[in-house]
């Protein structure tokens, strides 16, 4: 073999490697955390205010109790005069697994969620609610 053949084989091998890597990268699922992430980033000051409002609640703050063995999550609040709210189970590794529920506390100020059909792994629990005209936000990480 002469040098011309070796250079051509190396060049064809390099081109083949690059083509393979491009093909593999094009087939990867790249799901965004949110489709409107730019708009959410601009409006983040409102989120900061919601978090401050939640911290100011003190004893009336929404409490999250997670029983991993039973696969059950319970939310409770001492004063349950919530006008509206949402519970978002966010799956960081796969946005298609996200689940959203309306926050509806019962007369005892509690709401439960059966997590037995949720995929095991890391979840972020995001809770938004309105109370007395103010907006609140709580976020916790749970491992199922």
């Amino acid at each position: 073999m002469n040098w011309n053949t070796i250079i051509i084989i190396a060049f064809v091998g390099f081109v083949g490697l690059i083509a393979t890597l491009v093909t593999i990268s094009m087939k990867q699922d790249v799901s965004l955390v949110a489709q409107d992430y730019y708009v959410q980033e601009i409006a983040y000051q409102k989120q900061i205010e919601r978090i401050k409002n939640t911290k100011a609640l003190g004893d009336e703050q929404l409490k999250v109790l997670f029983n991993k063995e039973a696969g059950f999550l319970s939310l409770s609040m001492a004063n349950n005069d919530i006008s509206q709210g949402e519970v978002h189970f966010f799956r960081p590794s796969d946005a298609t697994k996200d689940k959203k529920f309306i926050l509806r506390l019962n007369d005892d100020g509690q709401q439960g969620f059966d997590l037995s059909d949720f995929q095991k792994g890391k979840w972020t629990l995001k809770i938004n609610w309105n109370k007395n005209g103010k907006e609140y936000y709580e976020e916790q990480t749970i491992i199922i």
Side-chain angles (χ1 to χ4, degrees):
M1 258 201 240
N2 60 19
W3 281 103
N4 293 340
T5 309
I6 293 172
I7 291 173
I8 290 173
I9 291 172
F11 183 73
V12 169
F14 178 74
V15 169
L17 176 68
I18 295 299
T20 302
L21 291 175
V22 167
T23 303
I24 291 171
S25 67
M26 295 296 285
K27 291 182 180 180
Q28 292 295 319
D29 178 32
V30 182
S31 58
L32 298 173
V33 172
Q35 293 297 327
D36 60 342
Y37 65 92
Y38 187 69
V39 174
Q40 288 180 6
E41 186 67 29
I42 292 173
Y44 195 69
Q45 184 60 39
K46 284 186 177 182
Q47 188 73 347
I48 292 170
E49 293 299 321
R50 289 182 195 117
I51 293 169
K52 282 183 184 178
N53 290 342
T54 303
K55 289 181 179 179
L57 282 176
D59 292 340
E60 293 183 28
Q61 189 170 350
L62 188 69
K63 292 180 178 48
V64 178
L65 304 167
F66 175 55
N67 186 337
K68 189 172 184 175
E69 292 77 33
F72 193 78
L73 184 126
S74 176
L75 303 176
S76 65
M77 181 180 278
N79 188 354
N80 64 344
D81 57 343
I82 294 174
S83 59
Q84 68 180 26
E86 179 182 72
V87 180
H88 180 191
F89 288 92
F90 173 71
R91 179 77 173 172
S93 63
D94 187 0
T96 62
K97 304 272 192 269
D98 289 4
K99 297 184 183 204
K100 291 185 179 182
F101 301 94
I102 296 173
L103 182 61
R104 291 189 182 125
L105 300 176
N106 62 16
D107 293 337
D108 297 329
Q110 296 181 347
Q111 182 174 356
F113 299 93
D114 181 17
L115 306 180
S116 59
D117 61 337
F118 282 48
Q119 187 178 21
K120 293 190 184 302
K122 180 180 177 181
W123 290 82
T124 302
L125 180 64
K126 299 178 178 184
I127 309 164
N128 292 302
W129 73 94
N130 293 337
K131 178 178 172 182
N132 299 330
K134 280 189 171 179
E135 294 183 5
Y136 299 90
Y137 177 79
E138 175 75 23
E139 184 174 303
Q140 290 190 14
T141 301
I142 57 173
I143 307 294
I144 299 177

